[in-house]
Amino acid sequence: MVDILHRVGIKSSVAEVYTALTTVEGLAGWWATNTQGEGDDLGGVLQFRFEAGGFDMKVLELHPGKRVLWEVVDGPEEWIGTHVIWDLNQVDDDTIVLFKHEGWKEPVEFMHHCSTKWALFLMSLKSLIETGKGAPDPHDVKIDNWN
């Protein structure tokens, strides 16, 4: 198994980042404008729809200000059963986000694409919180012919 890993610092409190990861409004502000579901309830399912397709994430863990864990329950075959983990830590004026998309069976070409897109969306999250304006789909940077 292989994982996508990223680290980003955001000038904010962990509470603000946590809210952006667990509310439909927050998620729609940095990842996919077409977001529905329950992100702040254990067992809830979030539906993210992009111009190029979509994903459904089941909320497995919620530790306010510390951690969010989703399991991919619908979407591309390579994503089904993988986990998306957000670990948060306050360091001075920054919230450090340790992001992990774990459980890929192998590092296929689609994983390269997804790693780059995750990095861009993490920058969108940072921008949303620090400036009030993110770049969610369909306003995100398009990197290749898959989006």
Side-chain angles (χ1 to χ4, degrees):
M1 299 263 187
V2 289
D3 305 329
I4 295 172
L5 305 170
H6 293 293
R7 180 184 189 271
V8 64
I10 301 173
K11 296 274 184 223
S12 75
S13 67
V14 291
E16 192 172 358
V17 175
Y18 183 83
T19 297
L21 297 173
T22 58
T23 64
V24 169
E25 298 78 18
L27 292 160
W30 67 267
W31 196 22
T33 55
N34 186 356
T35 297
Q36 298 176 26
E38 298 295 325
D40 56 356
D41 286 326
L42 284 178
V45 176
L46 288 159
Q47 298 92 28
F48 301 98
R49 298 298 178 262
F50 298 81
E51 289 183 328
F55 313 99
D56 290 358
M57 309 283 191
K58 184 175 182 179
V59 179
L60 297 184
E61 287 183 37
L62 292 171
H63 302 282
K66 299 251 184 236
R67 182 179 175 99
V68 175
L69 168 63
W70 301 330
E71 179 180 3
V72 182
V73 294
D74 195 18
E77 179 182 342
E78 296 91 344
W79 279 46
I80 303 292
T82 62
H83 292 98
V84 177
I85 302 163
W86 312 86
D87 284 314
L88 310 176
N89 187 30
Q90 190 77 48
V91 179
D92 299 322
D93 294 334
D94 288 339
T95 294
I96 302 300
V97 178
L98 293 181
F99 169 87
K100 182 187 289 188
H101 186 173
E102 72 176 10
W104 288 71
K105 291 182 178 85
E106 58 185 326
V108 294
E109 187 175 356
F110 185 47
M111 186 179 187
H112 293 263
H113 166 88
C114 293
S115 181
T116 304
K117 290 303 291 192
W118 273 125
L120 288 170
F121 284 121
L122 283 164
M123 295 287 70
S124 176
L125 171 63
K126 178 180 175 74
S127 180
L128 174 67
I129 292 173
E130 292 182 352
T131 72
K133 183 165 175 51
D137 177 84
H139 311 291
D140 57 313
V141 174
K142 307 305 180 195
I143 61 168
D144 58 29
N145 61 323
W146 290 347
N147 67 349

